[in-house]
Amino acid sequence: MGSWVLAFACQQMQAWRKSVMGDRMVVAINVSPIQFRRDDIEREVANALTSCGLPPSAVELELTESLLVADTQHVSEVLQRMGAQGIKFAIDDFGTGYSNLGYLQHFPIHLLKIDQSFIRKLVDSPNESGIVRAVIEMAHCLKLEVVAEGVEDADTLQRLIDNGCKFGQGHHWAIALVEPT
């Protein structure tokens, strides 16, 4: 299933890039720890890119925190090789797992995605607001981009902007897109 999702996402992104979105768009693809650990993730990604002619710079693989703390040497080597080809990496759902800040310096990560469980309570909860503000500041200090997941309304968006978050995703802009069948 993971291989199919990877291939389909790359094919769809290439079609969008050719038709309406241009060359600056990037597709973010979730990769499960199981799929990553099967030892063929590099080949799967290369095959998906080659089959549709998509450049590596158009792909961002979203990884979980648990993957990064499991077999750090192996994971680091794979990420370094893939990163050298131009593939980017994001930590998905940041703050819900181990949140071992040490790995942020040891892996070629360029982006943190703050989990929607924090974002959805941002306006109403001082605790969640403090966590989000701290994650944004920490990411900026480490020269990482930040994406807020689950932005649902203008108040939440404004709070994120006020805290220095430049990117978000959620129903505030649009519902999830489905390719017509």
Side-chain angles (χ1 to χ4, degrees):
M1 178 65 98
S3 296
W4 180 86
V5 168
L6 183 64
F8 183 80
C10 288
Q11 290 170 354
Q12 187 59 58
M13 178 50 69
Q14 183 65 322
W16 284 335
R17 286 168 59 105
K18 286 182 177 178
S19 65
V20 294
M21 295 189 177
D23 291 345
R24 295 184 354 193
M25 297 302 295
V26 174
V27 63
I29 305 167
N30 287 310
V31 176
S32 77
I34 294 169
Q35 181 182 9
F36 192 93
R37 288 188 193 111
R38 280 195 316 239
D39 290 332
D40 57 356
I41 189 68
E42 291 175 83
R43 183 175 41 85
E44 284 182 8
V45 171
N47 289 345
L49 293 172
T50 301
S51 71
C52 63
L54 191 65
S57 60
V59 172
E60 173 184 282
L61 299 181
E62 294 186 2
L63 311 171
T64 62
E65 293 177 80
S66 61
L67 172 67
L68 299 176
V69 297
D71 181 5
T72 57
Q73 182 65 32
H74 171 70
V75 171
S76 179
E77 291 169 2
V78 171
L79 295 182
Q80 292 294 337
R81 286 192 301 266
M82 294 175 77
Q85 298 170 22
I87 296 167
K88 295 195 182 320
F89 304 98
I91 299 175
D92 195 22
D93 301 332
F94 185 78
T96 62
Y98 297 94
S99 297
N100 180 343
L101 302 179
Y103 64 73
L104 294 176
Q105 298 175 349
H106 299 293
F107 295 104
I109 303 298
H110 80 284
L111 186 139
L112 293 181
K113 296 184 82 175
I114 304 173
D115 187 70
Q116 63 186 339
S117 64
F118 298 109
I119 302 305
R120 288 195 173 140
K121 299 175 188 172
L122 177 65
V123 174
D124 299 323
S125 170
N127 289 341
E128 306 300 326
S129 180
I131 290 169
V132 170
R133 192 170 52 253
V135 170
I136 293 168
E137 182 63 27
M138 176 200 60
H140 289 164
C141 289
L142 294 171
K143 301 194 179 359
L144 300 173
E145 295 288 349
V146 181
V147 173
E149 297 180 311
V151 179
E152 304 294 326
D153 56 59
D155 289 342
T156 301
L157 175 60
Q158 189 57 55
R159 183 73 59 93
L160 289 163
I161 291 170
D162 293 345
N163 286 314
C165 185
K166 297 178 186 175
F167 304 101
Q169 66 185 53
H171 291 156
H172 176 68
W173 293 281
I175 61 168
L177 300 176
V178 177
E179 180 63 19
T181 56

